[in-house]
Amino acid sequence: MKIMKIINILFAFAAIPLFSSAQNINGDWFGTLKVQAGISIRIVFHITKTPNGFSSTMDSPDQGAHGIPVPSTAFNNPTLKLEIPAAKIVYTGELKDSIISGIFNQNGLSIPLNLSRTPETTVLKRPQEPVKPYPYYSEDVTFRNEKANVTLAGTLTLPKKEGNYPAVILISGSGAQNRNEEVLGHKPFLVIADYLTRNGIAVLRYDDRGTALSTGDFRSGTTADFATDAESALSYLQSRKEIDKKKIGLIGHSEGGTIAPMIASRNKNVDFIVMLAGPGMPGSELLLLQKDKIERESGIPDSSIEEGQRIFKEVYKIIVDSSPNDTTLKNKVLTYFEQQLGDAADDKIAESLTNQLLSPWMVYFIRLNPISFLEKVKCPVLALNGGNDLQVPPKENLEAIGAALKKGGNKNVTIKEFP
């Protein structure tokens, strides 16, 4: 699930003077972190020599992250050591002949990571991506969310330029996504839009607010805010003469799979919804389940997993139980982390964790319970997920979705888990 990214890497380097200049560590270093089968993440370190040591930044191109500050590094020729105590990350490598051969370690999981002066030139094979010219009509469009003062840019594809067609709106997962929901070299929304349009269905997909060609501030938005963007897309489609206004549906992936039923529960103009890896349980519970599944898959010791569950279960409870206007919430969470971490970490770690959990998006998600609006959805629902999904585990979430829809009296429901 993209509600939490596949992997989130933040590096900090310890600023220590260079002891030897026999080998030059200064410059750009490129590597690929092979997280698991089929999943690789490119990493670029930019290291600059300063009078007191080094200053550095990091890019994660596949995640759209660039210029991440890297405050400290240690280079004792030929050994380079990078440490991130807050994330329990240590990278250690040796420089030889312009290659740094090393190991990336996090929470006991070790992954080889070699760095070089030049990026890998692997050509990604994406046979599923359509190639122009397309056998259908494609138009770049913009529409307004007046309530949020946001202009959203997207692409509308129609089977033919003239006609009257059923339509769907594609709603992306968490994180700032462009209209193709591009991540890790894949463009799933482009592929889905192409297939549906070839089969007689119009498709509208758009850049998230504050992303690519859309205006607005993504960082301050919550799931509820992004839902108003999707509703603006619905209003826009209703204004187009080529669209059958009685046959407009929503296809939401991950967080979009929460937004689709959220809108359908209050808007009778939604004819059907499709939930792709959509959550069916409260955000606080899903985050704990997600954390457990990913850490077990990564080989984290049971004792560490159990301790993490205990700590985060309690901090999520603090957030859920607090009122929306609680001005003391930050102090409560910060104090809790300081007590739990004790001598194992400094104040900066507790403050960093607090700031991450108290972003507007995260607070809203932790408190969010999709069951409350799933029970109100009356239109047809198709809920799909993959058996290997660690971010929205299929068994627990699909069962919860089915139970909530059934409780609300919705009998037009199809649920499927793909192997």
Side-chain angles (χ1 to χ4, degrees), residues 102-372:
I103 298 292
F104 175 92
N105 184 282
Q106 182 175 26
N107 282 319
L109 176 67
S110 298
I111 304 174
L113 177 62
N114 297 335
L115 305 173
S116 69
R117 292 292 191 181
T118 57
E120 293 184 10
T121 57
T122 302
V123 177
L124 300 176
K125 295 181 180 180
R126 299 288 184 255
Q128 70 273 32
E129 288 186 10
V131 179
K132 293 181 178 180
Y134 305 140
Y136 49 80
Y137 176 73
S138 179
E139 178 185 346
D140 289 335
V141 300
T142 59
F143 53 93
R144 290 278 297 168
N145 179 345
E146 296 293 351
K147 181 179 179 181
N149 192 28
V150 167
T151 298
L152 297 152
T155 299
L156 174 64
T157 52
L158 302 166
K160 294 182 180 179
K161 187 173 182 179
E162 302 294 335
N164 191 251
Y165 305 102
V168 297
I169 298 165
L170 301 185
I171 309 171
S172 70
S174 62
Q177 307 292 318
N178 65 22
R179 67 194 69 187
N180 294 327
E181 206 190 31
E182 191 168 352
V183 63
L184 296 174
H186 290 278
K187 301 176 182 178
F189 277 11
L190 171 62
V191 176
I192 292 173
D194 175 77
Y195 180 85
L196 293 178
T197 309
R198 289 172 187 262
N199 285 274
I201 301 172
V203 180
L204 175 61
R205 64 193 197 272
Y206 58 92
D207 303 326
D208 290 344
R209 64 166 69 183
T211 305
L213 300 180
S214 291
T215 68
D217 181 10
F218 181 85
R219 292 174 298 177
S220 63
T222 67
T223 303
D225 297 319
F226 303 144
T228 67
D229 292 342
E231 283 184 302
S232 298
L234 178 60
S235 297
Y236 173 73
L237 279 188
Q238 290 173 322
S239 73
R240 296 283 303 224
K241 62 181 177 57
E242 306 94 334
I243 304 302
D244 185 342
K245 297 174 180 58
K246 295 182 179 180
K247 295 182 179 179
I248 302 177
L250 308 176
I251 300 180
H253 172 224
S254 189
E255 182 185 18
T258 295
I259 291 172
M262 182 184 292
I263 295 173
S265 69
R266 67 194 184 205
N267 194 321
K268 295 181 180 180
N269 292 318
V270 177
D271 187 57
F272 63 89
I273 64 172
V274 180
M275 301 172 65
L276 304 176
M281 55 201 305
S284 58
E285 296 179 16
L286 178 58
L287 289 172
L288 289 172
L289 179 61
Q290 180 186 100
K291 178 177 170 62
D292 178 88
K293 296 282 187 181
I294 292 175
E295 290 180 345
R296 291 188 187 282
E297 181 72 13
S298 301
I300 306 302
D302 288 349
S303 58
S304 297
I305 294 174
E306 292 167 3
E307 178 67 2
Q309 290 287 304
R310 181 190 66 79
I311 291 174
F312 280 90
K313 182 177 182 180
E314 181 60 31
V315 78
Y316 293 156
K317 186 177 186 301
I318 293 172
I319 294 172
V320 170
D321 290 346
S322 64
S323 67
N325 299 318
D326 188 350
T327 58
T328 66
L329 180 58
K330 181 173 182 179
N331 185 59
K332 290 177 182 177
V333 173
L334 179 60
T335 300
Y336 174 77
F337 275 130
E338 289 174 341
Q339 292 172 345
Q340 295 302 312
L341 296 175
D343 296 334
D346 58 30
D347 293 340
K348 290 183 179 179
I349 297 175
E351 185 174 358
S352 176
L353 288 171
T354 299
N355 290 335
Q356 290 178 40
L357 288 186
L358 295 186
S359 70
W361 185 91
M362 184 61 79
V363 170
Y364 186 91
F365 181 75
I366 290 171
R367 292 171 173 166
L368 180 63
N369 186 355
I371 293 172
S372 62

